[in-house]
Amino acid sequence: MGGLTYIDFLAKFGVGGAHPGGIGLTKSLLSEENINQNSKVLDAGCGTGQTAAYLYNQFKANISCLELNPIMIEKAKKRFQSLQIPIQLIQGSVEEIPFQDQSFDFVLCESVLAFVNKPKALKEFHRVLKDGGRFIANEMTINSKLNQQEALEIMKFYNIDSLLLESDWVRLLKETGFTEIKIQMLKQNLADGNIAQEFNFSQNFEPELFSILNEHGNMLVKYHDILSHRIFICSK
Ligand SMILES: C[S@@+](CC[C@H](N)C(=O)[O-])C[C@H]1O[C@@H](n2cnc3c(N)ncnc32)[C@H](O)[C@@H]1O
């Protein structure tokens, strides 16, 4: 694949709501939380900023976005500018979050942990959350253990270092110090795709990105019983 990754595909295609359930699930999860104009919210790994824009428009909350990929940053920036909404957008890594301890009431992490050093990023999320703050994550989760060859195929394609069962996530969250862990999942199979997916294409992109899109589809079909996700909602 010439070094291009699944994240490169998402960035160049400008996929908004690049997580299972898309913006529809995000809206329903956020409606359960007590977010208001005084809330400080971090959208960690915000992608093109669809969720952050919704958060501002819906709750007028104080939103910060952290994102590593420069193309994602550019697209999020354009979105916020064209909507004329005041969102702080910072380029940086969730593994080393450039905010002080106890900065946020909410940290939202939609399909980002899968792609990073999970214990490191979780520790950072916990650090920047205020006591009593809420952490909401929607992350790739396997339903059962895979054999080594299958696991390697998935990890290589998504360029990720591990595949976690629900029980692995819960252990990690507890080890990090999170409490009151609640778990949900979508009934819909990932292979059925997100409804109303949003795209914001770059002017130039490598044709091989279509192969990545294709391969992503193949993975979801091939591993439809195993490759899933979970929503983890917890407190600090
Ligand atoms: C699957 S996308 C999800 C994007 C967005 N949360 C959404 O739901 O549309 C994963 C995002 O995580 C970002 N990302 C990957 N590693 C990161 C890191 N170390 N720090 C911050 N963002 C990262 C990618 O650039 C990408 O935008």
Side-chain angles (χ1 to χ4, degrees):
M1 268 191 283
L4 289 170
T5 64
Y6 174 65
I7 297 289
D8 293 320
F9 148 71
L10 291 177
K12 287 258 173 125
F13 277 49
V15 180
H19 55 267
I23 188 71
L25 175 61
T26 302
K27 288 180 182 176
S28 122
L29 291 175
L30 295 176
S31 72
E32 302 289 313
E33 299 293 326
N34 185 18
I35 305 175
N36 57 49
Q37 58 188 14
N38 299 318
S39 307
K40 292 194 76 185
V41 186
L42 175 66
D43 186 357
C46 67
T48 66
Q50 190 186 45
T51 290
Y54 171 76
L55 268 166
Y56 181 78
N57 286 331
Q58 184 70 11
F59 305 103
K60 299 290 173 288
N62 190 319
I63 318 289
S64 300
C65 284
L66 183 65
E67 170 59 53
L68 193 60
N69 183 292
I71 297 170
M72 290 293 201
I73 288 271
E74 206 43 48
K75 290 183 180 177
K77 193 169 150 193
K78 287 217 174 100
R79 182 197 297 271
F80 303 153
Q81 275 170 354
S82 70
L83 293 171
Q84 297 189 309
I85 50 179
I87 290 179
Q88 182 184 33
L89 177 61
I90 291 178
Q91 187 168 16
S93 174
V94 295
E95 295 177 6
E96 211 171 323
I97 301 181
F99 283 99
Q100 291 183 352
D101 300 0
Q102 312 238 16
S103 295
F104 297 100
D105 301 292
F106 297 89
V107 171
L108 190 61
C109 176
E110 298 185 296
S111 297
V112 179
L113 276 171
F115 301 96
V116 302
N117 179 317
K118 299 169 183 66
K120 213 171 165 183
L122 280 173
K123 223 174 141 188
E124 282 293 86
F125 293 149
H126 191 267
R127 180 182 67 75
V128 298
L129 260 181
K130 295 179 188 170
D131 291 337
R134 305 272 284 160
F135 175 58
I136 302 165
N138 179 349
E139 287 298 333
M140 184 190 289
T141 303
I142 49 171
N143 290 328
S144 55
K145 280 211 167 123
L146 292 147
N147 69 40
Q148 202 190 7
Q149 194 190 337
E150 292 171 327
L152 279 175
E153 182 182 29
I154 296 172
M155 292 195 296
K156 192 166 168 233
F157 174 69
Y158 290 105
N159 198 24
I160 59 181
D161 66 7
S162 51
L163 286 166
L164 270 55
L165 293 160
E166 182 181 301
S167 54
D168 297 323
W169 281 117
V170 171
R171 184 177 34 78
L172 253 184
L173 288 164
K174 282 187 180 161
E175 279 170 11
T176 311
F178 287 107
T179 60
E180 301 173 65
I181 302 166
K182 294 204 176 68
I183 305 167
Q184 297 179 29
M185 71 181 290
L186 262 180
K187 303 262 179 305
Q188 173 204 10
N189 195 294
L190 294 194
D192 295 337
N194 287 341
I195 307 152
Q197 185 99 269
E198 178 198 82
F199 296 97
N200 172 6
F201 294 98
S202 293
Q203 278 188 340
N204 301 303
F205 54 81
E206 300 80 351
E208 40 187 313
L209 293 178
F210 283 109
S211 322
I212 296 185
L213 171 60
N214 200 27
E215 191 57 18
H216 169 59
N218 291 341
M219 288 282 164
L220 296 185
V221 171
K222 181 171 176 186
Y223 295 108
H224 69 278
D225 283 338
I226 296 171
L227 207 48
S228 184
H229 78 115
R230 295 291 184 283
I231 296 138
F232 300 97
I233 303 175
C234 26
S235 301
K236 172 172 175 180

Coordinates of all heavy atoms in Angstrom, one line a residue, residues 99-141:
F99 N -2.4 20.0 27.6 CA -3.3 20.8 28.5 C -2.9 20.4 29.9 O -2.4 19.3 30.2 CB -4.8 20.4 28.2 CG -5.4 21.0 27.0 CD1 -5.5 20.3 25.8 CD2 -5.8 22.3 27.1 CE1 -6.0 20.9 24.7 CE2 -6.4 22.9 25.9 CZ -6.5 22.2 24.8
Q100 N -3.3 21.3 30.8 CA -3.0 21.1 32.2 C -3.9 20.0 32.8 O -5.0 19.7 32.3 CB -3.1 22.4 33.0 CG -2.0 23.4 32.6 CD -2.1 24.7 33.4 OE1 -3.1 24.9 34.2 NE2 -1.2 25.5 33.3
D101 N -3.5 19.5 34.0 CA -4.3 18.5 34.7 C -5.6 19.2 35.0 O -5.7 20.4 35.2 CB -3.7 18.2 36.1 CG -2.3 17.6 36.0 OD1 -1.8 17.4 34.8 OD2 -1.7 17.3 37.0
Q102 N -6.7 18.3 35.0 CA -8.0 18.8 35.4 C -8.5 20.0 34.6 O -9.1 20.9 35.2 CB -8.0 19.2 36.9 CG -7.3 18.2 37.8 CD -8.3 17.7 38.9 OE1 -9.5 17.8 38.8 NE2 -7.7 17.0 39.9
S103 N -8.4 19.9 33.3 CA -8.8 21.0 32.4 C -10.3 20.8 31.9 O -10.9 21.8 31.5 CB -7.9 21.1 31.2 OG -6.6 21.5 31.5
F104 N -10.8 19.6 31.9 CA -12.0 19.3 31.2 C -13.1 18.6 32.0 O -12.8 17.8 32.9 CB -11.7 18.5 29.9 CG -10.9 19.2 28.9 CD1 -9.5 18.9 28.9 CD2 -11.4 20.1 28.1 CE1 -8.7 19.5 28.0 CE2 -10.5 20.8 27.2 CZ -9.2 20.5 27.1
D105 N -14.3 19.0 31.7 CA -15.5 18.2 32.3 C -15.8 17.0 31.5 O -16.3 16.0 32.1 CB -16.7 19.1 32.3 CG -16.5 20.4 33.1 OD1 -16.3 20.4 34.3 OD2 -16.4 21.5 32.4
F106 N -15.5 17.0 30.2 CA -15.8 15.9 29.4 C -14.6 15.7 28.4 O -14.1 16.6 27.9 CB -17.0 16.1 28.5 CG -18.3 16.2 29.3 CD1 -18.7 17.5 29.7 CD2 -19.0 15.1 29.6 CE1 -19.9 17.6 30.5 CE2 -20.2 15.3 30.3 CZ -20.6 16.5 30.8
V107 N -14.2 14.4 28.2 CA -13.3 14.0 27.2 C -14.0 13.0 26.3 O -14.5 12.0 26.8 CB -12.0 13.5 27.7 CG1 -11.1 12.9 26.5 CG2 -11.2 14.5 28.5
L108 N -14.0 13.4 25.0 CA -14.7 12.5 24.0 C -13.6 11.9 23.1 O -12.8 12.7 22.6 CB -15.7 13.4 23.2 CG -16.7 12.8 22.3 CD1 -17.6 11.9 23.1 CD2 -17.5 13.9 21.7
C109 N -13.7 10.6 22.9 CA -12.7 10.0 22.1 C -13.4 9.0 21.1 O -13.8 7.9 21.6 CB -11.8 9.3 23.0 SG -10.5 8.3 22.2
E110 N -13.6 9.4 19.9 CA -14.4 8.6 19.0 C -13.5 7.9 18.0 O -13.0 8.5 17.0 CB -15.4 9.5 18.2 CG -16.4 10.1 19.2 CD -17.5 10.9 18.5 OE1 -17.2 11.9 17.8 OE2 -18.7 10.5 18.6
S111 N -13.2 6.6 18.3 CA -12.4 5.8 17.4 C -11.0 6.4 17.2 O -10.6 6.6 16.0 CB -13.1 5.5 16.1 OG -14.3 4.8 16.3
V112 N -10.3 6.6 18.3 CA -9.0 7.2 18.2 C -8.0 6.3 19.0 O -6.9 6.0 18.5 CB -8.9 8.6 18.8 CG1 -7.5 9.2 18.8 CG2 -9.9 9.5 18.1
L113 N -8.4 5.8 20.1 CA -7.6 5.0 21.0 C -7.0 3.8 20.3 O -5.9 3.3 20.5 CB -8.4 4.5 22.2 CG -8.4 5.4 23.4 CD1 -9.4 4.9 24.4 CD2 -7.1 5.6 24.0
A114 N -7.8 3.2 19.4 CA -7.4 2.0 18.6 C -6.1 2.3 17.9 O -5.3 1.4 17.8 CB -8.5 1.7 17.6
F115 N -5.8 3.5 17.5 CA -4.7 3.8 16.7 C -3.5 4.3 17.4 O -2.5 4.7 16.8 CB -5.1 4.9 15.6 CG -6.2 4.5 14.8 CD1 -7.5 4.8 15.1 CD2 -6.0 3.7 13.7 CE1 -8.6 4.4 14.3 CE2 -7.0 3.2 12.9 CZ -8.3 3.6 13.2
V116 N -3.6 4.4 18.8 CA -2.4 4.9 19.5 C -2.0 4.0 20.6 O -2.6 2.9 20.8 CB -2.8 6.3 20.1 CG1 -3.3 7.3 19.1 CG2 -4.0 6.1 21.2
N117 N -1.0 4.4 21.4 CA -0.6 3.6 22.6 C -1.7 3.8 23.7 O -1.9 4.9 24.2 CB 0.7 4.2 23.1 CG 1.2 3.5 24.4 OD1 0.4 3.2 25.3 ND2 2.5 3.2 24.4
K118 N -2.5 2.8 23.8 CA -3.8 2.9 24.6 C -3.5 3.3 26.1 O -4.1 4.2 26.6 CB -4.6 1.6 24.5 CG -5.0 1.3 23.0 CD -5.6 0.0 22.9 CE -5.9 -0.4 21.4 NZ -4.7 -0.5 20.5
P119 N -2.6 2.6 26.8 CA -2.4 2.9 28.2 C -1.9 4.4 28.4 O -2.4 5.1 29.3 CB -1.4 1.9 28.7 CG -1.4 0.8 27.8 CD -1.9 1.4 26.4
K120 N -1.1 4.8 27.4 CA -0.5 6.1 27.5 C -1.6 7.2 27.3 O -1.7 8.2 28.1 CB 0.6 6.3 26.4 CG 1.7 7.2 26.8 CD 2.8 7.0 25.7 CE 3.8 8.2 25.8 NZ 4.8 8.1 24.8
A121 N -2.4 7.0 26.3 CA -3.4 8.0 26.0 C -4.5 8.0 27.1 O -5.0 9.1 27.5 CB -4.1 7.7 24.6
L122 N -4.9 6.8 27.6 CA -5.9 6.8 28.6 C -5.4 7.5 29.9 O -6.2 8.2 30.5 CB -6.2 5.3 29.0 CG -7.2 4.6 28.1 CD1 -7.3 3.2 28.4 CD2 -8.6 5.3 28.1
K123 N -4.1 7.4 30.2 CA -3.5 8.1 31.3 C -3.6 9.6 31.1 O -4.0 10.3 32.1 CB -2.0 7.7 31.4 CG -1.6 7.4 32.8 CD -0.2 6.9 32.9 CE 0.5 7.5 34.1 NZ 1.9 7.2 34.1
E124 N -3.4 10.0 29.9 CA -3.5 11.5 29.6 C -4.9 11.9 29.7 O -5.2 13.0 30.2 CB -2.9 11.7 28.2 CG -1.4 11.7 28.1 CD -0.9 12.9 28.9 OE1 -0.7 12.8 30.1 OE2 -0.7 14.0 28.3
F125 N -5.9 11.2 29.2 CA -7.3 11.6 29.3 C -7.7 11.7 30.7 O -8.4 12.7 31.1 CB -8.2 10.5 28.6 CG -8.0 10.4 27.1 CD1 -8.2 9.2 26.4 CD2 -7.7 11.6 26.4 CE1 -8.1 9.2 25.0 CE2 -7.6 11.5 25.0 CZ -7.8 10.3 24.3
H126 N -7.3 10.8 31.5 CA -7.6 10.8 33.0 C -7.0 12.0 33.6 O -7.6 12.7 34.4 CB -7.1 9.5 33.6 CG -7.6 9.3 35.0 ND1 -6.9 9.7 36.1 CD2 -8.7 8.7 35.5 CE1 -7.5 9.4 37.2 NE2 -8.7 8.8 36.9
R127 N -5.7 12.3 33.3 CA -5.0 13.5 33.8 C -5.7 14.8 33.5 O -5.9 15.6 34.4 CB -3.6 13.5 33.3 CG -2.7 14.7 33.8 CD -1.4 14.7 33.2 NE -1.4 15.0 31.8 CZ -1.5 16.2 31.2 NH1 -1.8 17.2 32.0 NH2 -1.5 16.4 29.9
V128 N -6.2 15.0 32.3 CA -6.7 16.3 31.9 C -8.2 16.4 32.3 O -8.8 17.5 32.2 CB -6.6 16.6 30.4 CG1 -5.1 16.7 30.0 CG2 -7.3 15.6 29.5
L129 N -8.8 15.3 32.8 CA -10.2 15.4 33.2 C -10.3 16.0 34.7 O -9.4 15.6 35.5 CB -10.8 14.0 33.2 CG -11.7 13.6 32.1 CD1 -12.2 12.2 32.3 CD2 -12.9 14.5 31.9
K130 N -11.3 16.8 34.9 CA -11.5 17.2 36.3 C -12.0 16.0 37.1 O -12.6 15.1 36.6 CB -12.6 18.3 36.3 CG -12.1 19.6 35.6 CD -13.3 20.6 35.7 CE -13.0 21.8 34.9 NZ -14.1 22.7 34.7
D131 N -11.9 16.1 38.4 CA -12.5 15.1 39.3 C -14.0 15.1 39.0 O -14.6 16.2 39.0 CB -12.2 15.4 40.8 CG -10.7 15.2 41.1 OD1 -10.1 14.5 40.4 OD2 -10.3 15.8 42.1
G132 N -14.6 14.0 38.9 CA -16.0 13.9 38.6 C -16.3 14.1 37.1 O -17.4 14.0 36.7
G133 N -15.2 14.3 36.3 CA -15.4 14.5 34.8 C -15.8 13.2 34.2 O -15.7 12.1 34.8
R134 N -16.3 13.3 32.9 CA -16.8 12.1 32.2 C -15.9 11.8 31.0 O -15.5 12.7 30.2 CB -18.2 12.3 31.8 CG -19.1 12.7 32.9 CD -19.7 11.6 33.6 NE -20.8 11.0 32.8 CZ -21.2 9.7 33.0 NH1 -20.6 9.0 33.9 NH2 -22.2 9.3 32.2
F135 N -15.6 10.5 30.8 CA -14.9 10.1 29.6 C -15.8 9.2 28.8 O -16.4 8.3 29.3 CB -13.6 9.3 30.1 CG -12.9 8.7 28.9 CD1 -12.3 9.5 27.9 CD2 -12.6 7.3 28.8 CE1 -11.6 9.0 26.9 CE2 -11.9 6.8 27.8 CZ -11.4 7.6 26.8
I136 N -15.9 9.6 27.5 CA -16.8 8.8 26.6 C -15.9 8.4 25.4 O -15.3 9.2 24.7 CB -17.9 9.8 26.1 CG1 -18.7 10.3 27.3 CG2 -18.8 9.0 25.1 CD1 -19.6 11.4 26.9
A137 N -15.9 7.1 25.2 CA -15.1 6.6 24.1 C -15.9 5.6 23.3 O -16.7 4.9 23.8 CB -13.8 5.9 24.6
N138 N -15.7 5.6 22.0 CA -16.3 4.6 21.1 C -15.2 3.9 20.3 O -14.6 4.5 19.4 CB -17.2 5.4 20.1 CG -18.0 4.6 19.1 OD1 -17.7 3.4 19.0 ND2 -18.9 5.1 18.4
E139 N -14.9 2.7 20.7 CA -13.6 2.1 20.2 C -13.7 0.7 19.7 O -14.6 -0.1 20.1 CB -12.6 2.1 21.4 CG -12.1 3.5 21.7 CD -11.3 4.2 20.6 OE1 -10.7 3.5 19.7 OE2 -11.3 5.4 20.5
M140 N -12.9 0.4 18.7 CA -12.8 -0.9 18.1 C -12.6 -2.0 19.2 O -11.7 -1.8 20.0 CB -11.6 -0.9 17.1 CG -11.5 -2.2 16.3 SD -10.0 -2.3 15.4 CE -10.2 -1.1 14.1
T141 N -13.4 -3.0 19.1 CA -13.3 -4.0 20.1 C -13.6 -5.4 19.4 O -14.5 -5.5 18.6 CB -14.4 -3.8 21.2 OG1 -14.3 -2.5 21.8 CG2 -14.4 -4.9 22.3

